[in-house]
Amino acid sequence: MRIEILASAKEALNKNFKGKNVVVIDVLRATTVMITALKNGAEKIYPFKEIKEAIEKKEQLKNGLLAGERKGLKIEGFDFGNSPLEFTEDKIKGKSICMTTSNGTRAIENSRSADSIYIASYLNVTSIVEKLMESDKDLVIVCAGTDDEFSLDDSLCAGIIANKISEKKQVLMDDFTISLQNLAKYSKNIKEVLKDSKHYSYLKKIGYESDLDYCLTLDFCDIVPEYKNHEITNKKASLS
């Protein structure tokens, strides 16, 4: 298996992923939200690049909710922002969520040529690895990044996934992927590694420190979200 890590959503644009599996990561916070929402009973998630697209889809649904952010802040008129702690069972169970974010949903759309697209964050690393081990297809891990730039929070998570796979089977990696694998291998405390990083610091500054603690929790659940036919659904039940 060949594993390649891309540093941002922009790097996935116009790239051909045919014949490969893709994992999309936006730890802070879109993919963490998606995993949390599915764990708490959301039926489906529809990701969109644009606000207008999300609104239009919501209007077509009987049980639709709007979720999303720009610059980390809730979009005016939406039901939810991009804090995973908002997505409680009593609010979302049985609902479909139409979602748009600055980086994460764009990374998903930019990866649509892949054979399979899975959604990951720190919350479900081990379950994602187990799913990927079912196939020998080459893997591309697409980090959403922040405003088309490298983001340490996503890249460390990608490195953890690459490292866990390399412990189980023989893999080929480029130097960038190897560097992130090694970072993951020798990082004992995720929060300590990320505490001075740009996006972590920004979310803390605008009042989302509780989100940060939650988003950096390793293997909180065994949800395996898959994007297919323009929607994200859960392929594995959550831990009891």
Side-chain angles (χ1 to χ4, degrees), residues 27-47:
V27 168
L28 302 176
R29 292 162 292 167
T31 59
T32 302
V33 165
M34 293 169 184
I35 294 161
T36 301
L38 291 172
K39 178 183 182 298
N40 288 337
E43 185 177 312
K44 297 177 182 179
I45 299 169
Y46 298 94

Side-chain angles (χ1 to χ4, degrees), residues 33-228:
V33 165
M34 293 169 184
I35 294 161
T36 301
L38 291 172
K39 178 183 182 298
N40 288 337
E43 185 177 312
K44 297 177 182 179
I45 299 169
Y46 298 94
F48 297 98
K49 285 185 180 182
E50 305 296 337
I51 294 172
K52 180 181 177 182
E53 295 173 318
I55 293 171
E56 289 175 349
K57 182 64 178 179
K58 190 262 185 184
E59 291 173 347
Q60 298 169 11
L61 302 173
K62 292 182 179 179
N63 63 344
L65 296 168
L66 287 169
E69 57 74 35
R70 290 296 183 267
K71 296 186 178 180
L73 301 174
K74 179 181 174 182
I75 298 167
E76 185 177 353
F78 273 37
D79 300 294
F80 301 99
N82 199 36
S83 168
L85 302 182
E86 296 179 67
F87 292 78
T88 55
E89 183 176 349
D90 61 308
K91 294 178 181 177
I92 64 167
K93 188 173 183 179
K95 305 288 187 179
S96 293
I97 299 170
C98 304
M99 185 173 179
T100 178
T101 67
S102 302
N103 303 293
T105 57
R106 188 159 52 91
I108 293 169
E109 289 211 18
N110 289 354
S111 305
R112 281 166 55 178
S113 62
D115 284 18
S116 298
I117 300 175
Y118 301 104
I119 307 301
S121 77
Y122 292 108
L123 299 187
N124 69 339
V125 161
T126 295
S127 294
I128 285 290
V129 168
E130 289 173 355
K131 184 66 178 178
L132 294 169
M133 292 293 294
E134 296 174 4
S135 169
D136 288 323
K137 291 180 182 178
D138 289 347
L139 169 66
V140 182
I141 305 175
V142 179
C143 300
T146 303
D147 299 328
D148 293 327
E149 294 182 353
F150 173 91
S151 190
L152 185 57
D153 48 286
D154 295 338
S155 296
L156 176 58
C157 186
I160 291 172
I161 292 171
N163 186 54
K164 283 182 175 289
I165 294 173
S166 72
E167 291 175 344
K168 298 174 183 292
K169 65 166 58 181
Q170 187 173 359
V171 298
L172 298 173
M173 295 181 282
D174 60 20
D175 283 0
F176 180 65
T177 303
I178 290 170
S179 70
L180 294 177
Q181 178 208 14
N182 284 330
L183 173 65
K185 189 183 297 184
Y186 298 111
S187 296
K188 303 303 181 185
N189 187 314
I190 294 169
K191 190 172 183 179
E192 186 68 22
V193 174
L194 299 180
K195 67 178 183 179
D196 296 320
S197 61
K198 181 179 178 180
H199 199 39
Y200 181 102
S201 299
Y202 175 70
L203 288 175
K204 185 175 179 179
K205 180 180 177 181
I206 63 174
Y208 287 107
E209 191 162 4
S210 294
D211 277 15
L212 295 170
D213 291 337
Y214 175 78
C215 290
L216 304 186
T217 303
L218 196 61
D219 287 329
F220 180 69
C221 63
D222 65 354
I223 299 295
V224 180
E226 182 176 2
Y227 174 83
K228 191 173 184 179

Side-chain angles (χ1 to χ4, degrees), residues 2-17:
R2 182 179 295 276
I3 302 176
E4 179 183 9
I5 297 174
L6 303 184
S8 72
K10 184 178 181 180
E11 291 189 19
L13 188 63
N14 300 322
K15 190 175 178 70
N16 184 5
F17 297 105

